[in-house]
Amino acid sequence: KKRRKSRWEPQEAQDAAGRGPTSMGVGSYDASSGSLVLPGGLQVQLPATLLGEQSAPADATPEVRAKFSDLATINRRMLSGLPFDERSERSRSPSPEPVYDQFGVRQNTREMVDKEKYHTRRMQLVEELVEMCPGFRPPPDFKPSKKSRKIMIPQSDHPGYNFFGLIIGPRGNTQKRMQRETNTKIAIRGKGSVKEGAVRDVKFDAGEDEALHVLIEGDNQKEVDAAAYMIERLLVPVDEEANEHKR
């Protein structure tokens, strides 16, 4: 027989019984109905991405069900305003050195960092569910993450070899052709990638402390891998006369 709730019963006891709503900051979550109870008693039905395993298809694998559950947990913690790291304040890693913008406003507060971590993890789970679960509808704010790959240039092993020139090509034509054919962005980054006196794009980190490398970015892994194959062929030193890329 279902036990009636008492208005005088502590909220914690209701939550422990699994029947009462759980506080979520802006309202409370009622697990029995899968709805958000707003102040005043108004109930709002939550979308599938907030409901956990029960929103997964009936024939879903345990792995898919686990991802639905993880996504629901992430979304509910975001709504509750809880920290990304569930450990106590004393057990967490120390906050990073403060970073301020030109107006003196801090850009890396704990709340900002948590928000970015939540967003990254949430988008990762959504993208995995899109690939694994054909019937899954991603939220409106979902954007597939860019794929990237870093390929080191063996300049130290072949100090006299012009890898840079081979990848860029005359007037940048080789680089442009590879980008066009693979629908990717190809750039050389790291030490020696920016010539002395050249104007640097302040919006892009050239990674001057890293070894010289090629950075490939694309919309999907297949395109990135295709570009990587082209780049790797250029990174195998051959004799000047046999180098077809210099003809």
Side-chain angles (χ1 to χ4, degrees), residues 198-212:
V199 178
R200 185 182 297 115
D201 184 357
V202 296
K203 295 184 294 184
F204 194 94
D205 180 13
E208 292 182 346
D209 292 333
E210 298 182 24
L212 196 64

Side-chain angles (χ1 to χ4, degrees), residues 116 119-131 138 141-149 183 216-224:
E116 182 62 30
H119 176 75
T120 300
R121 179 56 180 155
R122 180 170 174 263
M123 291 297 103
Q124 179 186 3
L125 286 167
V126 169
E127 188 166 1
E128 290 173 354
L129 283 172
V130 168
E131 296 177 359
D141 63 337
F142 169 65
K143 291 183 179 179
S145 61
K146 290 281 188 180
K147 308 300 180 185
S148 64
R149 185 168 171 181
N183 192 35
I216 305 171
E217 295 179 324
D219 293 331
N220 59 67
Q221 196 61 48
K222 184 178 180 180
E223 293 173 345
V224 170

Side-chain angles (χ1 to χ4, degrees), residues 123-229:
M123 291 297 103
Q124 179 186 3
L125 286 167
V126 169
E127 188 166 1
E128 290 173 354
L129 283 172
V130 168
E131 296 177 359
M132 299 172 64
C133 186
F136 176 72
R137 285 189 175 184
D141 63 337
F142 169 65
K143 291 183 179 179
S145 61
K146 290 281 188 180
K147 308 300 180 185
S148 64
R149 185 168 171 181
K150 184 188 296 185
I151 301 176
M152 307 310 295
I153 298 176
Q155 196 68 65
S156 58
D157 296 333
H158 309 278
Y161 201 80
N162 188 15
F163 292 108
F164 198 107
L166 276 177
I167 295 168
I168 301 299
R171 296 180 295 278
N173 287 334
T174 303
Q175 178 190 22
K176 292 174 184 176
R177 176 182 57 79
M178 292 189 294
Q179 290 183 143
R180 183 174 61 252
E181 292 179 359
T182 61
N183 192 35
T184 60
K185 179 181 178 182
I186 299 172
I188 298 179
R189 302 297 176 196
K191 295 178 180 178
S193 62
V194 180
K195 295 180 180 179
E196 285 189 39
V199 178
R200 185 182 297 115
D201 184 357
V202 296
K203 295 184 294 184
F204 194 94
D205 180 13
E208 292 182 346
D209 292 333
E210 298 182 24
L212 196 64
H213 63 273
V214 179
L215 179 64
I216 305 171
E217 295 179 324
D219 293 331
N220 59 67
Q221 196 61 48
K222 184 178 180 180
E223 293 173 345
V224 170
D225 290 344
Y229 174 74

